[in-house]
Amino acid sequence: MGAYLTRRVLLMVLTLFGMSVLIFVMLRLVPGNIADILVDSAGIADPKEKAKIAAELGLDRPIFDQYLQWIGGLVRGDLGFAYVSERPALEEIAPRIPISAKLAGLALFFSIILGVPLGVISAVRQNSAIDYLLRIISLSGLSLPSFWLGLLILMASVQWFGMIPIYTNEPRSFIDEMLLLSIPAAAVGFRSSALIMRLTRSSMLEVLRQDYIRTARSKGASQTTVNYEHALRNALLPVVTIIGIEAAFLVGGLIVTETVFNIPGVARFLVEAILWRDYPIVQNLVMLIAFCVVVVNFLVDMAYMALDPRIKYAD
Protein backbone atom coordinates (compact mmCIF):
# COMPACT_ATOMS: atom_id res chain seq x y z
CA MET A 1 0.00 0.00 0.00
CA GLY A 2 2.82 2.38 0.88
CA ALA A 3 4.60 1.78 -2.41
CA TYR A 4 1.36 2.31 -4.32
CA LEU A 5 0.68 5.63 -2.56
CA THR A 6 4.24 6.76 -3.27
CA ARG A 7 3.86 5.93 -6.97
CA ARG A 8 0.53 7.74 -7.12
CA VAL A 9 1.91 10.86 -5.47
CA LEU A 10 4.88 10.91 -7.84
CA LEU A 11 2.52 10.43 -10.79
CA MET A 12 0.37 13.32 -9.54
CA VAL A 13 3.43 15.58 -9.30
CA LEU A 14 4.58 14.56 -12.78
CA THR A 15 1.09 15.16 -14.20
CA LEU A 16 0.91 18.62 -12.64
CA PHE A 17 4.38 19.47 -13.97
CA GLY A 18 3.32 18.43 -17.48
CA MET A 19 0.15 20.48 -17.13
CA SER A 20 2.12 23.53 -16.05
CA VAL A 21 4.33 23.34 -19.14
CA LEU A 22 1.33 22.79 -21.41
CA ILE A 23 -0.62 25.68 -19.88
CA PHE A 24 2.33 28.05 -20.08
CA VAL A 25 3.21 27.23 -23.70
CA MET A 26 -0.34 27.15 -25.08
CA LEU A 27 -1.25 30.44 -23.44
CA ARG A 28 1.62 32.15 -25.18
CA LEU A 29 0.77 30.60 -28.53
CA VAL A 30 -2.49 32.55 -28.53
CA PRO A 31 -2.10 35.69 -30.68
CA GLY A 32 -1.72 38.91 -28.72
CA ASN A 33 -0.87 39.61 -25.10
CA ILE A 34 -1.88 42.03 -22.37
CA ALA A 35 0.48 44.69 -23.74
CA ASP A 36 -1.21 44.57 -27.16
CA ILE A 37 -4.67 44.78 -25.57
CA LEU A 38 -3.75 47.70 -23.30
CA VAL A 39 -2.13 49.60 -26.17
CA ASP A 40 -5.08 49.05 -28.52
CA SER A 41 -7.69 49.96 -25.88
CA ALA A 42 -5.82 53.17 -25.04
CA GLY A 43 -5.38 54.07 -28.72
CA ILE A 44 -1.59 54.24 -28.41
CA ALA A 45 0.30 53.85 -31.69
CA ASP A 46 3.83 54.40 -30.39
CA PRO A 47 5.80 51.09 -30.43
CA LYS A 48 8.03 52.44 -27.63
CA GLU A 49 5.04 52.67 -25.29
CA LYS A 50 4.10 49.09 -26.08
CA ALA A 51 7.68 47.94 -25.43
CA LYS A 52 7.68 49.86 -22.15
CA ILE A 53 4.48 48.15 -20.98
CA ALA A 54 5.83 44.74 -21.99
CA ALA A 55 9.05 45.41 -20.07
CA GLU A 56 7.13 46.49 -16.96
CA LEU A 57 5.13 43.26 -17.07
CA GLY A 58 8.20 41.11 -17.72
CA LEU A 59 6.93 39.99 -21.13
CA ASP A 60 10.19 40.95 -22.85
CA ARG A 61 12.14 38.30 -20.94
CA PRO A 62 12.90 34.86 -22.44
CA ILE A 63 10.01 32.38 -22.20
CA PHE A 64 12.07 29.93 -20.16
CA ASP A 65 12.88 32.63 -17.58
CA GLN A 66 9.20 33.57 -17.37
CA TYR A 67 8.27 29.94 -16.75
CA LEU A 68 10.89 29.49 -14.04
CA GLN A 69 9.74 32.68 -12.33
CA TRP A 70 6.10 31.53 -12.36
CA ILE A 71 6.67 27.91 -11.30
CA GLY A 72 9.17 28.96 -8.63
CA GLY A 73 6.69 31.44 -7.19
CA LEU A 74 3.92 28.83 -7.36
CA VAL A 75 5.99 26.39 -5.30
CA ARG A 76 6.63 29.12 -2.71
CA GLY A 77 2.98 30.16 -2.64
CA ASP A 78 3.63 33.41 -4.53
CA LEU A 79 1.13 33.56 -7.40
CA GLY A 80 2.39 36.85 -8.77
CA PHE A 81 0.36 39.96 -9.63
CA ALA A 82 -2.67 40.28 -11.86
CA TYR A 83 -1.86 42.39 -14.91
CA VAL A 84 -5.25 44.10 -15.09
CA SER A 85 -5.89 45.01 -11.45
CA GLU A 86 -2.21 45.13 -10.42
CA ARG A 87 -3.16 43.31 -7.22
CA PRO A 88 -1.67 40.04 -5.94
CA ALA A 89 -3.19 37.17 -7.90
CA LEU A 90 -3.96 35.33 -4.66
CA GLU A 91 -6.13 38.22 -3.48
CA GLU A 92 -8.06 38.11 -6.76
CA ILE A 93 -8.53 34.34 -6.80
CA ALA A 94 -9.06 33.44 -3.12
CA PRO A 95 -12.48 35.16 -2.60
CA ARG A 96 -13.90 33.41 -5.69
CA ILE A 97 -12.87 29.86 -4.77
CA PRO A 98 -15.46 29.36 -1.95
CA ILE A 99 -18.28 30.59 -4.20
CA SER A 100 -17.49 28.13 -7.00
CA ALA A 101 -16.81 25.36 -4.46
CA LYS A 102 -20.23 25.84 -2.86
CA LEU A 103 -21.93 25.91 -6.25
CA ALA A 104 -20.11 22.78 -7.45
CA GLY A 105 -20.74 21.02 -4.12
CA LEU A 106 -24.46 21.77 -4.25
CA ALA A 107 -24.70 20.65 -7.86
CA LEU A 108 -22.90 17.39 -7.03
CA PHE A 109 -25.14 16.88 -4.00
CA PHE A 110 -28.27 17.30 -6.12
CA SER A 111 -26.94 14.93 -8.78
CA ILE A 112 -26.10 12.19 -6.25
CA ILE A 113 -29.22 12.53 -4.11
CA LEU A 114 -31.39 12.27 -7.22
CA GLY A 115 -29.35 10.04 -9.53
CA VAL A 116 -28.43 7.11 -7.26
CA PRO A 117 -31.82 6.44 -5.56
CA LEU A 118 -33.81 6.93 -8.76
CA GLY A 119 -31.39 4.70 -10.66
CA VAL A 120 -31.86 1.95 -8.06
CA ILE A 121 -35.65 2.30 -8.19
CA SER A 122 -35.59 2.14 -11.99
CA ALA A 123 -33.50 -1.05 -11.86
CA VAL A 124 -35.51 -2.94 -9.24
CA ARG A 125 -38.76 -1.92 -10.97
CA GLN A 126 -37.49 -2.79 -14.44
CA ASN A 127 -40.00 -2.43 -17.30
CA SER A 128 -42.65 -0.97 -14.99
CA ALA A 129 -44.39 2.39 -15.48
CA ILE A 130 -42.06 4.10 -12.99
CA ASP A 131 -39.06 2.67 -14.85
CA TYR A 132 -40.22 4.10 -18.18
CA LEU A 133 -40.99 7.46 -16.55
CA LEU A 134 -37.55 7.69 -14.92
CA ARG A 135 -35.83 6.70 -18.18
CA ILE A 136 -37.68 9.50 -19.99
CA ILE A 137 -36.61 11.96 -17.27
CA SER A 138 -32.99 10.84 -17.51
CA LEU A 139 -32.99 11.21 -21.29
CA SER A 140 -34.47 14.69 -20.90
CA GLY A 141 -31.73 15.61 -18.45
CA LEU A 142 -29.03 14.48 -20.86
CA SER A 143 -30.68 16.34 -23.75
CA LEU A 144 -31.26 19.73 -22.09
CA PRO A 145 -28.18 21.99 -21.88
CA SER A 146 -27.75 23.36 -18.37
CA PHE A 147 -27.44 26.97 -19.57
CA TRP A 148 -30.74 26.70 -21.48
CA LEU A 149 -32.42 25.21 -18.43
CA GLY A 150 -30.96 28.04 -16.37
CA LEU A 151 -32.44 30.64 -18.73
CA LEU A 152 -35.83 28.90 -18.48
CA ILE A 153 -35.60 29.07 -14.68
CA LEU A 154 -34.81 32.80 -14.84
CA MET A 155 -37.74 33.52 -17.17
CA ALA A 156 -40.10 31.39 -15.06
CA SER A 157 -38.99 33.22 -11.90
CA VAL A 158 -39.74 36.57 -13.51
CA GLN A 159 -43.12 35.37 -14.80
CA TRP A 160 -44.33 33.66 -11.63
CA PHE A 161 -42.53 35.42 -8.78
CA GLY A 162 -41.56 38.79 -10.26
CA MET A 163 -37.89 38.38 -9.31
CA ILE A 164 -34.64 37.21 -10.85
CA PRO A 165 -32.61 34.74 -8.72
CA ILE A 166 -29.17 35.99 -9.73
CA TYR A 167 -26.12 36.81 -7.65
CA THR A 168 -26.27 40.63 -7.41
CA ASN A 169 -25.42 41.77 -3.90
CA GLU A 170 -23.42 39.64 -1.47
CA PRO A 171 -25.79 37.39 0.54
CA ARG A 172 -26.29 38.41 4.16
CA SER A 173 -25.94 34.92 5.60
CA PHE A 174 -24.78 31.42 4.71
CA ILE A 175 -28.40 30.24 4.43
CA ASP A 176 -29.24 33.04 1.99
CA GLU A 177 -26.21 32.15 -0.12
CA MET A 178 -27.14 28.47 -0.20
CA LEU A 179 -30.70 29.30 -1.23
CA LEU A 180 -29.42 31.60 -3.97
CA LEU A 181 -26.90 29.05 -5.26
CA SER A 182 -29.36 26.15 -5.07
CA ILE A 183 -31.20 27.31 -8.21
CA PRO A 184 -28.18 27.28 -10.59
CA ALA A 185 -26.87 24.19 -8.78
CA ALA A 186 -30.11 22.36 -9.49
CA ALA A 187 -29.91 23.37 -13.16
CA VAL A 188 -26.39 21.96 -13.43
CA GLY A 189 -27.05 18.98 -11.18
CA PHE A 190 -30.05 17.85 -13.22
CA ARG A 191 -27.83 16.87 -16.16
CA SER A 192 -25.36 15.09 -13.91
CA SER A 193 -28.15 13.30 -12.03
CA ALA A 194 -29.52 11.99 -15.33
CA LEU A 195 -26.13 10.51 -16.22
CA ILE A 196 -25.70 8.99 -12.75
CA MET A 197 -29.25 7.63 -12.84
CA ARG A 198 -28.73 5.78 -16.11
CA LEU A 199 -25.38 4.36 -15.05
CA THR A 200 -26.76 3.27 -11.65
CA ARG A 201 -29.66 1.53 -13.35
CA SER A 202 -27.48 -0.38 -15.84
CA SER A 203 -24.95 -1.31 -13.16
CA MET A 204 -27.68 -2.52 -10.78
CA LEU A 205 -29.30 -4.63 -13.51
CA GLU A 206 -25.96 -6.27 -14.28
CA VAL A 207 -25.28 -7.06 -10.61
CA LEU A 208 -28.80 -8.36 -9.98
CA ARG A 209 -28.16 -11.07 -12.61
CA GLN A 210 -25.08 -12.41 -10.82
CA ASP A 211 -24.99 -15.86 -9.21
CA TYR A 212 -24.38 -14.61 -5.67
CA ILE A 213 -27.58 -12.56 -5.84
CA ARG A 214 -29.56 -15.70 -6.71
CA THR A 215 -27.79 -17.49 -3.87
CA ALA A 216 -28.78 -14.78 -1.40
CA ARG A 217 -32.38 -15.00 -2.53
CA SER A 218 -32.37 -18.80 -2.24
CA LYS A 219 -31.16 -18.48 1.37
CA GLY A 220 -34.26 -16.46 2.19
CA ALA A 221 -32.81 -12.95 2.20
CA SER A 222 -35.44 -10.26 1.84
CA GLN A 223 -35.74 -8.24 -1.35
CA THR A 224 -34.59 -5.09 0.47
CA THR A 225 -31.49 -6.86 1.81
CA VAL A 226 -30.65 -8.27 -1.61
CA ASN A 227 -31.11 -4.94 -3.38
CA TYR A 228 -29.43 -2.57 -0.95
CA GLU A 229 -26.89 -4.67 0.98
CA HIS A 230 -25.71 -7.16 -1.65
CA ALA A 231 -26.37 -5.55 -5.05
CA LEU A 232 -26.02 -1.83 -4.49
CA ARG A 233 -22.58 -2.00 -2.85
CA ASN A 234 -21.03 -3.69 -5.89
CA ALA A 235 -23.08 -1.68 -8.37
CA LEU A 236 -21.68 1.56 -6.96
CA LEU A 237 -18.13 0.99 -8.27
CA PRO A 238 -18.72 2.38 -11.79
CA VAL A 239 -21.06 4.99 -10.31
CA VAL A 240 -18.28 6.29 -8.04
CA THR A 241 -16.10 6.68 -11.12
CA ILE A 242 -18.64 8.82 -12.95
CA ILE A 243 -19.31 10.84 -9.78
CA GLY A 244 -15.59 11.57 -9.58
CA ILE A 245 -15.51 12.63 -13.24
CA GLU A 246 -18.53 14.87 -12.72
CA ALA A 247 -16.96 16.42 -9.61
CA ALA A 248 -13.79 17.21 -11.56
CA PHE A 249 -15.86 18.61 -14.43
CA LEU A 250 -17.85 20.87 -12.11
CA VAL A 251 -14.68 22.53 -10.79
CA GLY A 252 -14.03 24.25 -14.12
CA GLY A 253 -17.20 23.53 -16.08
CA LEU A 254 -19.44 26.17 -14.53
CA ILE A 255 -18.45 28.97 -16.90
CA VAL A 256 -21.83 29.36 -18.63
CA THR A 257 -23.84 28.82 -15.44
CA GLU A 258 -21.86 31.43 -13.51
CA THR A 259 -22.30 33.85 -16.40
CA VAL A 260 -26.06 33.26 -16.74
CA PHE A 261 -26.68 33.70 -13.00
CA ASN A 262 -24.07 36.47 -12.56
CA ILE A 263 -22.09 34.44 -10.01
CA PRO A 264 -18.61 35.88 -9.27
CA GLY A 265 -16.89 32.51 -9.20
CA VAL A 266 -13.65 31.05 -10.48
CA ALA A 267 -14.94 29.83 -13.87
CA ARG A 268 -16.38 33.19 -14.89
CA PHE A 269 -13.25 35.00 -13.70
CA LEU A 270 -11.14 32.60 -15.78
CA VAL A 271 -12.94 33.60 -18.97
CA GLU A 272 -12.44 37.29 -18.20
CA ALA A 273 -8.74 36.70 -17.54
CA ILE A 274 -8.34 34.81 -20.83
CA LEU A 275 -9.91 37.70 -22.74
CA TRP A 276 -7.41 40.10 -21.15
CA ARG A 277 -4.48 37.67 -21.54
CA ASP A 278 -3.91 38.06 -17.79
CA TYR A 279 -1.26 35.33 -17.68
CA PRO A 280 -0.80 35.00 -13.89
CA ILE A 281 -4.55 34.63 -13.28
CA VAL A 282 -5.12 32.17 -16.14
CA GLN A 283 -2.08 30.03 -15.32
CA ASN A 284 -2.89 29.78 -11.62
CA LEU A 285 -6.61 29.10 -12.14
CA VAL A 286 -6.00 26.35 -14.70
CA MET A 287 -3.40 24.80 -12.42
CA LEU A 288 -5.95 24.90 -9.58
CA ILE A 289 -8.47 23.08 -11.78
CA ALA A 290 -5.83 20.52 -12.83
CA PHE A 291 -4.89 19.94 -9.19
CA CYS A 292 -8.54 19.35 -8.26
CA VAL A 293 -8.97 16.85 -11.10
CA VAL A 294 -5.84 14.92 -10.09
CA VAL A 295 -6.88 14.82 -6.42
CA VAL A 296 -10.42 13.70 -7.27
CA ASN A 297 -9.06 10.82 -9.37
CA PHE A 298 -6.86 9.78 -6.47
CA LEU A 299 -9.80 9.86 -4.04
CA VAL A 300 -11.90 7.76 -6.42
CA ASP A 301 -9.20 5.07 -6.43
CA MET A 302 -9.17 5.09 -2.62
CA ALA A 303 -12.97 4.84 -2.55
CA TYR A 304 -12.77 1.61 -4.56
CA MET A 305 -11.07 -0.15 -1.67
CA ALA A 306 -13.71 1.03 0.80
CA LEU A 307 -16.56 -0.17 -1.41
CA ASP A 308 -15.04 -3.49 -2.52
CA PRO A 309 -12.65 -5.26 -0.08
CA ARG A 310 -11.57 -7.54 -2.94
CA ILE A 311 -9.63 -4.65 -4.47
CA LYS A 312 -6.14 -4.49 -3.05
CA TYR A 313 -3.23 -2.22 -3.99
CA ALA A 314 -0.23 -4.40 -3.33
CA ASP A 315 3.14 -3.00 -2.28
Side-chain angles (χ1 to χ4, degrees):
M1 185 65 180
Y4 172 77
L5 290 177
T6 302
R7 289 196 303 270
R8 282 304 306 266
V9 171
L10 291 176
L11 181 61
M12 290 167 62
V13 173
L14 184 61
T15 302
L16 291 175
F17 170 73
M19 284 296 301
S20 69
V21 175
L22 191 62
I23 293 164
F24 191 87
V25 173
M26 291 187 67
L27 191 58
R28 279 153 181 79
L29 290 177
V30 178
N33 56 40
I34 184 66
D36 296 324
I37 295 174
L38 291 176
V39 167
D40 292 341
S41 62
I44 300 173
D46 189 356
K48 294 182 179 179
E49 288 295 325
K50 177 182 175 180
K52 180 180 177 182
I53 294 174
E56 291 175 352
L57 298 176
L59 300 177
D60 60 337
R61 300 172 57 189
I63 296 295
F64 185 69
D65 290 348
Q66 294 182 44
Y67 174 78
L68 289 181
Q69 181 182 12
W70 169 56
I71 204 67
L74 190 63
V75 172
R76 298 191 305 270
D78 180 11
L79 305 185
F81 283 80
Y83 290 162
V84 176
S85 64
E86 297 182 354
R87 296 177 57 200
L90 185 60
E91 293 182 7
E92 293 284 353
I93 295 172
R96 293 172 167 84
I97 293 177
I99 298 174
S100 290
K102 292 171 187 174
L103 177 58
L106 274 176
L108 191 63
F109 172 76
F110 283 137
S111 63
I112 295 173
I113 207 69
L114 290 176
V116 174
L118 294 181
V120 173
I121 293 172
S122 182
V124 299
R125 302 285 299 276
Q126 184 183 12
N127 296 328
S128 64
I130 185 92
D131 178 33
Y132 289 124
L133 176 62
L134 291 176
R135 287 161 69 181
I136 292 172
I137 292 174
S138 65
L139 284 174
S140 301
L142 292 173
S143 304
L144 297 177
S146 58
F147 69 89
W148 185 76
L149 184 59
L151 290 174
L152 288 182
I153 292 174
L154 291 179
M155 291 187 289
S157 299
V158 173
Q159 179 67 28
W160 295 339
F161 307 109
M163 51 87 70
I164 304 178
I166 61 174
Y167 206 107
T168 51
N169 299 321
E170 186 175 350
R172 291 172 294 180
S173 66
F174 178 78
I175 300 298
D176 290 342
E177 185 177 19
M178 289 296 100
L179 291 175
L180 187 61
L181 293 177
S182 63
I183 297 174
V188 177
F190 180 56
R191 188 204 67 84
S192 298
S193 68
L195 181 60
I196 293 173
M197 186 193 309
R198 292 186 65 83
L199 185 61
T200 303
R201 179 184 183 275
S202 62
S203 183
M204 276 289 293
L205 289 175
E206 182 180 353
V207 171
L208 287 173
R209 299 187 184 102
Q210 299 296 317
D211 292 338
Y212 72 89
I213 296 296
R214 287 192 289 268
T215 302
R217 286 171 177 160
S218 66
K219 288 183 177 180
S222 65
Q223 192 66 26
T224 300
T225 301
V226 170
N227 290 336
Y228 296 98
E229 292 187 15
H230 295 284
L232 181 58
R233 186 182 183 91
N234 290 314
L236 280 179
L237 286 176
V239 178
V240 167
T241 303
I242 201 64
I243 289 175
I245 294 173
E246 288 297 303
F249 166 77
L250 287 172
V251 173
L254 297 171
I255 294 172
V256 177
T257 303
E258 288 186 355
T259 302
V260 169
F261 288 90
N262 196 39
I263 299 172
V266 167
R268 180 182 171 191
F269 187 46
L270 176 59
V271 175
E272 295 173 357
I274 291 174
L275 294 176
W276 279 97
R277 307 294 192 275
D278 201 335
Y279 294 154
I281 298 296
V282 177
Q283 291 165 177
N284 293 315
L285 283 180
V286 178
M287 279 300 296
L288 173 63
I289 294 171
F291 175 78
C292 292
V293 172
V294 169
V295 170
V296 166
N297 278 284
F298 175 77
L299 294 177
V300 167
D301 285 349
M302 295 299 101
Y304 283 165
M305 288 191 298
L307 290 172
D308 192 345
R310 296 171 299 177
I311 298 177
K312 300 293 182 181
Y313 299 111
D315 290 339

